[in-house]
């Protein structure tokens, strides 16, 4: 690939897979970049680049800024536009020796208000959470209590749980609230458009409406794998990210680490929301306020029903579950 050659690389010759829609998406194979003894990729990078033992990602947005579309992946070099990432704080792998790209999240603010954070992973410092930075995750998953605290600070947002369903947060589609995740003392703003998704059309009171739900999911099951948050494209398309494999000399300087450079300007992002969402929602049924939708759902015993059949789990979600369950 490019100027790199990996010899004697182990791979699986797969004829069929239970990870749905890969072929439909035009994907014929998967190349993982995590730590692993079965891969020779890291050694090839080290041999080719000597001291430059890192990879870097820039996840570009779609034209309407609402999703990820393309980007850049580089080996041992930075994209010219984001070379300043070399001076960003080094986010060392936590815990040391982990086989995943995990590090410590230092804080979350919503509209400038800091959230109280408390880890359930043994040994984690007070006010910190262990976060996985994973380009293979399509959205983001955080502890349920943190999700509730985060979305409760967004004006107009309401929570709802139907019988037999997981809890959902309904939020205004045009929210301009800025959420910031802090790593290495540097706040990383998240574009307000990344806080919500369209689940589809909602039927309530005999009419069709458009509603938005939380894009950042809440789940407490990740802690059993040694981390509490999985920050995928929902977060990573707001930063330029570098993953350095370190070396094996046992010194602090040789530890694997990550570096992040914020790409989202909070003021610009807030100003973009109204025009972008109005274009995205053009031709859709009118939006219904979350509080009013909640009233109708409760009164009529309804559920969030989409106009199309439920989608199959995304390949990224299925792969994450597979990865976490692997030895």
């Amino acid at each position: 690939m490019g100027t790199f050659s990996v010899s004697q690389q182990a791979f699986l010759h797969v004829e069929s897979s239970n990870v749905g829609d890969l072929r439909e998406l035009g994907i014929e194979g998967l190349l993982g970049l995590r730590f692993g003894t079965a891969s020779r990729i890291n050694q090839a990078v080290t041999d080719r680049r000597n001291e430059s033992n890192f990879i870097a990602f820039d996840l570009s947005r779609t034209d309407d800024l609402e999703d990820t579309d393309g980007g850049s992946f580089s080996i041992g070099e930075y994209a010219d536009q984001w070379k300043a990432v070399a001076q960003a704080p080094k986010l060392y792998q936590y815990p040391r020796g982990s086989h995943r790209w995990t590090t410590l999240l230092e804080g979350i603010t919503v509209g400038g208000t800091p959230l109280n954070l408390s880890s359930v992973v043994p040994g984690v410092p007070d006010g910190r959470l262990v976060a996985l930075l994973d380009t293979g995750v399509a959205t983001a998953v955080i502890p349920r209590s943190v999700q509730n605290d985060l979305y409760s600070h967004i004006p107009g947002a309401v929570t709802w749980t139907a019988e037999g369903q997981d809890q959902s947060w309904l939020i205004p589609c045009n929210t301009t609230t800025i959420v910031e995740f802090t790593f290495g003392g540097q706040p990383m703003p998240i574009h307000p458009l990344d806080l919500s998704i369209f689940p589809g059309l909602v039927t309530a009171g005999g009419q069709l409406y458009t509603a938005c739900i939380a894009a950042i999911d809440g789940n407490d099951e990740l802690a059993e794998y040694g981390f509490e948050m999985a920050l995928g494209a929902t977060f990573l398309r707001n930063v330029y990210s570098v993953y350095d494999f370190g070396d094996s000399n046992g010194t602090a300087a040789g530890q694997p680490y990550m570096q992040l450079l914020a790409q989202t300007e909070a003021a610009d992002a807030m100003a973009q929301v109204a025009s972008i969402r109005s274009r995205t929602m053009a031709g859709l049924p009118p939006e219904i306020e979350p509080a009013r939708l909640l009233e109708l759902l409760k009164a009529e015993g309804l559920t969030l029903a989409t106009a199309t059949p439920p989608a199959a789990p995304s390949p990224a979600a299925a792969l994450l579950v597979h990865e976490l369950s692997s030895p």
Side-chain angles (χ1 to χ4, degrees):
M1 178 165 39
T3 61
F4 292 87
S5 177
V6 181
S7 63
Q8 299 182 353
Q9 171 62 48
F11 67 93
L12 297 177
H13 181 198
V14 178
E15 296 289 351
S16 62
S17 171
N18 59 2
V19 179
D21 297 333
L22 285 179
R23 302 264 177 143
E24 289 78 3
L25 292 171
I27 298 173
E28 297 177 297
L30 296 170
L31 179 64
L33 296 168
R34 59 170 279 183
F35 301 96
T37 57
S39 174
R40 296 176 181 268
I41 297 174
N42 183 31
Q43 187 60 49
V45 172
T46 302
D47 293 343
R48 176 69 173 80
R49 290 289 181 177
N50 295 323
E51 296 180 1
S52 298
N53 192 16
F54 67 83
I55 54 179
F57 294 90
D58 177 17
L59 301 185
S60 297
R61 293 177 177 272
T62 54
D63 290 340
D64 63 3
L65 306 184
E66 301 236 21
D67 207 347
T68 304
D69 182 21
S72 70
F73 163 53
S74 59
I75 302 174
E77 59 187 359
Y78 308 113
D80 289 340
Q81 184 180 0
W82 308 111
K83 284 185 176 180
V85 72
Q87 283 72 52
K90 294 181 179 179
L91 311 174
Y92 287 104
Q93 187 185 43
Y94 186 95
R96 185 173 179 176
S98 170
H99 59 284
R100 295 189 176 95
W101 292 106
T102 51
T103 191
L104 290 178
L105 171 86
E106 299 168 4
I108 300 176
T109 63
V110 184
T113 301
L115 305 186
N116 293 321
L117 304 179
S118 180
S119 177
V120 298
V121 176
V124 174
D126 292 341
R128 304 289 192 266
L129 296 176
V130 183
L132 172 71
L133 304 182
D134 192 340
T135 58
V137 176
T139 55
V141 182
I142 63 179
R144 176 70 70 183
S145 61
V146 179
Q147 185 211 29
N148 288 336
D149 201 7
L150 188 157
Y151 281 101
S152 67
H153 282 81
I154 295 180
V158 296
T159 183
W160 174 67
T161 304
E163 183 177 355
Q165 292 189 341
D166 292 334
Q167 177 187 8
S168 299
W169 274 93
L170 311 173
I171 74 172
C173 294
N174 62 350
T175 183
T176 57
T177 301
I178 293 294
V179 174
E180 293 181 326
F181 287 1
T182 298
F183 289 95
Q186 306 295 310
M188 304 288 168
I190 298 175
H191 202 296
L193 295 172
D194 292 327
L195 299 178
S196 64
I197 57 175
F198 296 99
L201 305 182
V202 178
T203 302
Q207 299 186 31
L208 281 177
Y209 295 101
T210 299
C212 287
I213 64 172
I216 301 177
D217 195 14
N219 191 296
D220 295 324
E221 297 178 4
L222 298 181
E224 66 179 281
Y225 302 104
F227 60 93
E228 300 151 288
M229 309 173 64
L231 301 181
T234 295
F235 169 73
L236 292 174
R237 61 174 168 252
N238 292 280
V239 299
Y240 184 73
S241 56
V242 172
Y243 300 77
D244 195 297
F245 288 84
D247 56 46
S248 58
N249 63 12
T251 65
Q255 293 182 45
Y257 62 85
M258 291 141 275
Q259 290 174 293
L260 302 175
L261 183 67
Q263 294 178 314
T264 298
E265 293 288 343
D268 292 344
M270 294 172 68
Q272 293 169 341
V273 172
S275 59
I276 291 173
R277 273 286 154 93
S278 63
R279 290 198 302 269
T280 301
M281 298 173 66
L284 295 176
E287 180 185 4
I288 183 172
E289 293 184 1
R292 177 54 181 159
L293 175 58
L294 181 62
E295 291 178 0
L296 294 174
L297 292 172
K298 288 182 175 180
E300 302 179 20
L302 300 173
T303 61
L304 285 176
T306 61
T308 57
S314 69
L319 287 171
L320 176 63
V321 172
H322 174 73
E323 176 187 357
L324 294 180
S325 61
S326 298

